[in-house]
Amino acid sequence: MIRQTKGLSTAPALAAALGMSAGLSHATPDYTEWSTPEPTVGGGCPIESRNGKFLYTASGSAGTLDIWTYRRRGSDGVFEFTDRTRADAPVNLDDADDFCPTPLKAQWLMFVSDRNVEGACGGTDLYIARYRPKGAKSSGEPENLGCAGDGPNTAGTELSPALVKTSEDTFLYFSSDVGGNQDIYRSVLLPNGRYSAGEPVSSLNTAGDDRQPNLSRDGLTIVFASDRDSGGFDVFMATRDSISSPWSEPRNLSWELDFATKTLGETRPSLSWDGQRLYYGAAGTVYLSQRRPAGNP
């Protein structure tokens, strides 16, 4: 059965909302090194809400992947999550895989789905919807971000949208296997509120599988998963001095810092809004590593 999806009512309003959803680029502060990752909750595809009050994940439910939220319990640097809640329809559909959630501001949510709806491009596509994590309530039908030629989605598999506003433009990063293996791509927000077709970020891509990017709020740090080194998926991180600067040689954090999960296949790393927490999935569990600005106790 093909479902009808309705476009969002005002693309310019959407562009305004999303265009202000991330901070302008600025000098990246110095941080301490990442701590030993600790298991937190079950699932994968983790990402923290911008206010730090919720943790979004994806995990299997009745034969499909679904998006879930956990509420933060704790304060003063304690990040424990409880009260697991499944997002309601139409973010989650019973007959589709819905995953890779990416919360934006003003209760917008980007995510990935293979739903069989009119306008789908094939494989898994990037969608956006209104969503309120408190109560797990959706509002209105999700909108497909557009098919190749007029948008970033292709007939292949798109994964992990990451939106960042910079001093130059508002960019959408994601990964896709349209060229064979998964590679990291970048799309730009257009004046009409739509996103351009994606272009590969050649400095981050290899002959291996490079996938699931996530950026810091200033666009100067990127984390992603790749099998370029060990044959299994590891967590990588690269930085740059400015939006126009080249990315540094990516660090394999998993092996360099001897993560206990380095042989388990690590997926979808993401950074908290303040840049002090790194989440990723491994073997059905979400792991958390922390750091702090250098010089802070």
Side-chain angles (χ1 to χ4, degrees):
M1 175 182 179
I2 296 179
R3 294 181 175 86
Q4 177 76 33
T5 58
K6 298 179 180 179
L8 297 176
S9 58
T10 56
L14 175 62
L18 299 186
M20 294 302 294
S21 63
L24 294 177
S25 59
H26 52 78
T28 301
D30 291 329
Y31 289 99
T32 60
E33 191 55 274
W34 292 107
S35 68
T36 299
E38 299 288 344
T40 57
V41 300
C45 266
I47 190 168
E48 190 181 292
S49 65
R50 297 185 175 199
N51 61 11
K53 294 181 179 180
F54 296 92
L55 182 66
Y56 291 71
T57 65
S59 60
S61 173
T64 61
L65 282 173
D66 286 327
I67 293 169
W68 300 76
T69 58
Y70 290 83
R71 185 186 299 274
R72 180 185 174 192
R73 180 183 63 188
S75 59
D76 298 328
V78 177
F79 283 82
E80 297 177 352
F81 297 91
T82 186
D83 297 332
R84 180 174 181 254
T85 306
R86 180 180 180 270
D88 68 357
V91 167
N92 283 324
L93 296 180
D94 292 339
D95 58 354
D97 284 334
D98 306 295
F99 58 103
C100 284
T102 301
L104 308 176
K105 84 167 203 174
Q107 299 182 351
W108 290 101
L109 178 72
M110 281 186 175
F111 64 100
V112 173
S113 180
D114 66 355
R115 59 191 58 203
N116 185 21
V117 295
E118 183 176 334
C121 309
T124 60
D125 290 344
L126 310 178
Y127 287 83
I128 188 168
R130 284 279 196 179
Y131 176 74
R132 180 168 56 88
K134 185 177 180 180
K137 297 299 182 183
S138 307
S139 176
E141 290 289 337
E143 181 182 14
N144 188 295
L145 294 190
C147 299
D150 297 312
N153 291 317
T154 72
T157 298
E158 278 68 60
L159 298 174
S160 298
L163 191 71
V164 58
K165 181 180 175 63
T166 77
S167 54
E168 295 184 3
D169 261 313
T170 296
F171 297 104
L172 174 68
Y173 284 76
F174 60 98
S175 67
S176 176
D177 65 1
V178 65
N181 288 338
Q182 283 277 322
D183 282 325
I184 297 171
Y185 285 78
R186 189 184 76 172
S187 172
V188 63
L189 180 64
L190 302 172
N192 63 3
R194 302 295 177 178
Y195 290 89
S196 68
E199 296 184 354
V201 184
S202 58
S203 60
L204 297 176
N205 294 325
T206 66
D209 193 315
D210 307 296
R211 60 171 56 193
Q212 299 173 315
N214 184 256
L215 283 82
S216 59
R217 65 182 296 179
D218 59 13
L220 302 183
T221 301
I222 189 169
V223 292
F224 60 96
S226 178
D227 64 358
R228 65 181 66 188
D229 282 349
S230 63
F233 284 103
D234 301 321
V235 176
F236 283 77
M237 184 178 79
T239 59
R240 56 187 175 183
D241 294 329
S242 69
I243 295 303
S244 58
S245 299
W247 288 106
S248 66
E249 182 68 22
R251 298 173 59 195
N252 185 330
L253 298 182
S254 305
W255 288 84
E256 181 181 328
L257 302 181
D258 197 25
F259 287 1
T261 54
K262 65 186 180 184
T263 63
L264 298 181
E266 297 156 336
T267 60
R268 211 285 171 94
S270 66
L271 297 166
S272 62
W273 193 238
D274 63 7
Q276 297 185 42
R277 289 171 298 286
L278 168 68
Y279 296 89
Y280 64 90
T285 299
V286 172
Y287 286 81
L288 168 61
S289 175
Q290 300 193 61
R291 64 182 183 179
R292 61 182 184 275
N296 283 11

